[in-house]
Amino acid sequence: MVGEAGSDLPTPREAGTARAKKMAVLAPLIALVYSIPRLSRWLARPYYLLSALLSAAFLLVRKVPPLCHGLPTQREDGNPCDFDWREVEILMFLSAIVMMKNRRSITVEQHIGNIFMFSKVANAILFFRLDIRMGLLYITLCIVFLMTCKPPLYMGPEYIKYFNDKTIDEELERDKRVTWIVEFFANWSNDCQSFAPIYADLSLKYNCTGLNFGKVDVGRYTDVSTRYKVSTSPLTKQLPTLILFQGGKEVMRRPQIDKKGRAVSWTFSEENVIREFNLNELYQRAKKLSKAGDSIPEEQPVAPTPTTVPDGENKKDK
């Protein structure tokens, strides 16, 4: 009897597999619960709320009565309030594309942005498949949304100085003992928006007397993009661009540009920036410079306000 009872007990390997399965289910749920406050703040903003509605537009039209009544369908049972086989194929293809794109995403904002972008593309295809008039109406709504509703800018604390087309050269030449890391960005770029909190966090950790962080909007100051050879075309994938200046001269940049003028693929994660730009060594070297009293007094970290941006510009205006 004892032997039979003992044979029903799980082996250590089976118990470990069961625990791994439980953790695989619980981990995403815990992450979702943990992110609920942040998600609620996003959904309270018009940009994310309207994006979610546009992304789910076809689902609502196809699934919610009486909206679905009278819609054409290729289902054998003729039910207009359920997906047909072709719509299921398109949605499955959308899921695969989103999963592949999100493998390189490093922030929750990038994950959400990829879902919204490809969902809108799929919605446009599905609506055109139903009726060309519905497709044209959906495209019109998306264009109006893009023109009237901009993604919210990061407004958290940072140690970053904002340049315009005149002040960037003056600041780089003012004190050549100071090392500068400058981000060239554009407000319309989703990659720049996703990188903004990462760059702000790096500035809070590493800014000191001899190591400063700056930003310049090349989408607004196009002559700066020409001077520093940063293309603002979405096809080149050069936004954002980080350039390290030492002695007023460019030392390195990411992403790198190949012989054909195209950006080499590079992930803008905090770990990559720290490693590629050797921030730990730059910070220690800059701290020694400040201890020797060879440079300007160190500033105190403050949250960005309209007074922290030169020429009376604040981040919302930009």
Side-chain angles (χ1 to χ4, degrees):
M1 294 295 293
V2 175
E4 293 177 358
S7 62
D8 294 334
L9 295 175
T11 64
R13 182 176 180 179
E14 292 173 343
T17 303
R19 286 194 297 268
K21 290 181 178 179
K22 291 180 180 178
M23 289 302 300
V25 175
L26 291 176
L29 293 177
I30 294 173
L32 178 61
V33 172
Y34 178 77
S35 61
I36 283 177
R38 191 175 182 183
L39 290 174
S40 63
R41 290 195 297 271
W42 286 344
L43 294 178
R45 298 174 178 176
Y47 175 83
Y48 292 110
L49 181 60
L50 293 175
S51 288
L53 290 175
L54 287 173
S55 299
F58 185 82
L59 175 65
L60 296 175
V61 170
R62 178 57 93 181
K63 284 290 190 177
V64 177
L67 298 176
C68 58
H69 294 160
L71 291 179
T73 181
Q74 295 182 5
R75 291 179 58 88
E76 294 181 358
D77 57 6
N79 181 13
C81 294
D82 203 356
F83 300 119
D84 59 40
W85 65 275
R86 182 65 69 182
E87 291 167 350
V88 172
E89 282 187 346
I90 294 174
L91 293 173
M92 292 295 294
F93 182 72
L94 164 68
S95 302
I97 293 296
V98 170
M99 290 178 63
M100 288 190 295
K101 291 294 292 184
N102 278 344
R103 290 176 59 184
R104 298 187 59 187
S105 301
I106 55 177
T107 64
V108 178
E109 289 85 355
Q110 286 180 314
H111 284 279
I112 299 297
N114 286 335
I115 292 173
F116 284 161
M117 179 177 65
F118 289 104
S119 295
K120 292 171 187 174
V121 173
N123 273 265
I125 296 173
L126 291 168
F127 276 122
F128 272 110
R129 184 173 172 271
L130 279 183
D131 191 323
I132 189 172
R133 293 170 296 181
M134 297 181 68
L136 291 174
L137 175 60
Y138 183 78
I139 291 294
T140 302
L141 291 175
C142 289
I143 293 174
V144 172
F145 169 75
L146 291 175
M147 294 178 63
T148 59
C149 195
K150 302 298 182 182
L153 300 177
Y154 175 77
M155 298 299 291
E158 57 186 23
Y159 246 148
I160 299 172
K161 184 168 185 178
Y162 286 78
F163 300 122
N164 57 33
D165 53 344
K166 299 178 181 178
T167 57
I168 180 170
D169 295 329
E170 295 174 358
E171 190 63 38
L172 292 176
E173 296 293 332
R174 186 170 64 87
D175 189 345
K176 294 187 177 181
R177 294 167 295 183
V178 177
T179 298
W180 281 93
I181 297 178
V182 180
E183 178 194 355
F184 295 78
F185 76 102
N187 282 327
W188 51 260
S189 169
N190 291 328
D191 291 334
C192 293
Q193 298 295 339
S194 300
F195 183 60
I198 298 175
Y199 191 59
D201 187 55
L202 288 170
S203 71
L204 292 172
K205 292 178 180 178
Y206 290 97
N207 186 84
C208 62
T209 302
L211 178 60
N212 293 170
F213 291 76
K215 294 180 76 168
V216 58
D217 187 354
V218 291
R220 182 175 185 180
Y221 305 111
T222 55
D223 56 333
V224 176
S225 66
T226 303
R227 242 178 12 244
Y228 290 93
K229 299 179 180 179
V230 178
S231 174
T232 57
S233 171
L235 300 178
T236 61
K237 301 293 184 180
Q238 291 188 34
L239 294 177
T241 288
L242 283 183
I243 299 183
L244 175 66
F245 293 94
Q246 290 181 327
K249 304 296 181 181
E250 177 182 336
V251 175
M252 65 173 292
R253 71 167 62 196
R254 292 292 183 274
Q256 293 176 309
I257 308 302
D258 61 19
K259 295 180 180 179
K260 296 182 179 180
R262 296 175 300 187
V264 179
S265 179
W266 196 70
T267 302
F268 279 88
S269 65
E270 182 172 337
E271 295 78 11
N272 282 352
V273 175
I274 293 174
R275 181 180 64 254
E276 292 289 320
F277 288 83
N278 207 2
L279 287 185
N280 292 316
E281 182 178 341
L282 288 176
Y283 178 74
Q284 294 301 327
R285 190 185 307 164
K287 293 295 287 185
K288 292 180 181 178
L289 177 65
S290 63
K291 288 180 180 179
D294 290 337
S295 189
I296 57 177
E298 186 174 354
E299 300 175 351
Q300 295 299 319
V302 293
T305 62
T307 58
T308 61
V309 184
D311 298 337
E313 298 171 336
N314 58 36
K315 294 174 74 175
K316 287 185 179 180
D317 292 335
K318 292 175 71 61

